[in-house]
Structure formats: structure tokens, C-alpha cells
Amino acid sequence: MDTKIISCAGEKGGCGKTTMNIILATNLSKSYGKKVVLIDMDDPQYSVFKKRERDLQRVSLGKRDDLELYPVVRSNVGTLDQWIRKFYGIVDYIIIDFPGNLNEEMVQGLLYIEHLFIPFFLDELEIDSTAMFYKTLEANFLNNEDRVLRSLNLFFNRYELVKANKFKAVRNTFERAGMPIMEEVVMDRTVYRERYRNTLYPIPEGKENSEMGIKKFIERVLKISKG
């Protein structure tokens, strides 16, 4: 099996990377039939691993046996390699959730990442941090033959139609600086964080299928990782 190793990551916490990693893992598994493992590298918080436990607690014991669960595993710098080796070749996607800063866990984990998706939104400090993060990874990972990173993909998270002109201005600025942003965006909707950030159930069929819906984003992730 041709395993792809991907992640949504950012240098600052609060950019929505964990929400997006969970949404990707659950929907690639449940809606697209992909074999997935989600590795939680946020040591020692392990918020994704704890989220799986909370999701299971909300399901009655009788229904748990009917759930086909993708693995959510806890890892750190010392154990990441063994988890990669365990699942590589037997799943379609290994998705790694990193802490919200460029620490040792992220640096070591980036050695395995093939496609990185970087969420950010309209905040002055967030924009500056994202630009620096992109350029750092471009110089040290993307343009380095010793690394496996094949693509860096910026995308707008918490996109608001009423601020379309502001988002367009940021897009143009980034593109002039050689940092293209994905056409697909993730809208600013509470439902992503409160309902769709679920390790058991995917986004219901027929929901979020509009022109800028999250389904378009997931399908672009599939296309980029296959390419």
C-alpha cells in the first residue's frame, strides 16, 4: 500500500490544526474508505487521544462494537519512528498532529511528512508567524534533497465571506512573495469545532458541499497527496 504521511500544522496554537487533522482522519476513513492512523504528538497533553476517549464515552456500550475505528495513538520523539514503521505500508494515510509550536517534536516529525497543510486566518500576528513558518520549512525541508517533504500548502481557516476582500489582499501578498495559497478554504463555522471535530463519525452526507465547503478542501488534500 502506498502510504502517504500528511499533517495540518502551524507554528502557533489556535490556528485550527488539530480540528482539521481530526476532520481529515475521520472523513478520509469514513467517507472515502481510506485506511488511516492518527498519531498524536502533542506530548504531554495528547488532546486528540483524549478526544477519542471522550467521543467513545458518549456512545452506548452496545453501539461501540459496531464502530469501525481508525487508530489514534500517542507518541513522542522517542516512539514516533516505531509507530511509522508499524503502520507504513498497511494504511493509506498516516496523519500526525503536532504541538502548536516549532519544538523538537515538530522538527523530528517533519522529517517524515510528505505533504504539509498550514491553516491560518486574518490576524496580523498569525499572518506574520505563518509567513515565517512557511519560509523556514521551505528553506530547510522543501528545498532539501535529504528531506521527504514534497509540498507546503497554505489555506485559509475560518474564512468569512464578509471579509472576502481582505482575504483576497492577503492572498495576493503571499503569492507575490512566492507563497501560493490553496483556492479551497475552510469556512468560519462553529459546527466544525463543536460537531464535525469527531473521531467516530464523519460529516453527514450532503452537508458542507457548497463551492467553498470543507468537502472541496478534503478532496484537494486527496489530489495533492496522490500527486
Side-chain angles (χ1 to χ4, degrees):
M1 186 171 290
D2 185 16
T3 300
K4 305 296 183 182
I5 305 178
I6 67 173
S7 177
C8 288
E11 189 178 11
K12 293 182 64 178
C15 64
K17 52 96 182 173
T18 296
T19 293
M20 292 309 303
N21 281 325
I22 292 174
I23 288 175
L24 278 175
T26 302
N27 287 274
L28 287 176
S29 172
K30 300 293 185 178
S31 299
Y32 293 88
K34 303 297 182 182
K35 293 184 180 297
V36 175
V37 59
L38 181 53
I39 299 179
D40 188 352
M41 283 280 287
D42 193 9
D43 181 16
Q45 289 82 14
Y46 293 123
S47 57
V48 175
F49 186 84
K50 292 175 182 176
K51 179 71 168 67
R52 164 58 66 81
E53 292 182 326
R54 291 196 300 272
D55 288 343
L56 283 173
Q57 289 171 2
R58 298 187 181 101
V59 178
S60 63
L61 291 176
K63 291 184 177 180
R64 291 184 191 180
D65 294 336
D66 297 329
L67 293 173
E68 295 184 8
L69 303 178
Y70 61 85
V72 177
V73 299
R74 292 176 291 185
S75 185
N76 54 40
V77 173
T79 61
L80 180 59
D81 188 72
Q82 71 182 48
W83 284 119
I84 296 289
R85 292 177 182 274
K86 177 177 180 179
F87 290 105
Y88 199 88
I90 64 173
V91 299
D92 296 294
Y93 284 92
I94 296 174
I95 301 175
I96 302 178
D97 187 65
F98 295 109
N101 52 71
L102 193 59
N103 60 10
E104 184 182 3
E105 280 80 6
M106 183 180 289
V107 171
Q108 291 296 320
L110 284 170
L111 297 175
Y112 298 90
I113 298 295
E114 296 171 286
H115 302 281
L116 191 69
F117 299 87
I118 305 172
F120 73 107
F121 48 90
L122 286 187
D123 174 85
E124 183 178 0
L125 296 179
E126 179 77 16
I127 291 170
D128 290 343
S129 174
T130 299
M132 292 181 61
F133 183 59
Y134 183 101
K135 288 298 186 181
T136 298
L137 298 184
E138 182 182 45
N140 293 283
F141 289 87
L142 190 61
N143 297 333
N144 188 331
E145 294 182 355
D146 294 329
R147 304 291 185 245
V148 300
L149 187 64
R150 296 175 55 193
S151 73
L152 290 171
N153 307 278
L154 294 163
F155 69 94
F156 288 129
N157 192 22
R158 302 179 192 171
Y159 185 92
E160 300 176 77
L161 287 175
V162 296
K163 298 180 180 178
N165 289 336
K166 292 183 178 180
F167 279 100
K168 182 178 179 180
V170 172
R171 180 187 295 277
N172 292 338
T173 299
F174 269 65
E175 289 181 348
R176 286 196 299 269
M179 297 181 286
I181 299 175
M182 295 171 60
E183 288 297 325
E184 293 76 15
V185 301
V186 178
M187 302 298 290
D188 183 22
R189 292 178 180 170
T190 305
V191 70
Y192 293 143
R193 299 182 291 277
E194 293 187 355
R195 183 179 177 187
Y196 296 160
R197 184 175 59 187
N198 192 295
T199 68
L200 308 180
Y201 301 109
I203 298 172
E205 184 67 28
K207 298 290 186 180
E208 305 305 327
N209 291 344
S210 63
E211 182 179 354
M212 291 188 293
I214 200 167
K215 183 176 181 180
K216 296 287 186 181
F217 173 80
I218 295 172
E219 290 176 348
R220 176 59 62 178
V221 170
L222 281 166
K223 185 173 181 178
I224 289 173
S225 59
K226 287 180 181 179

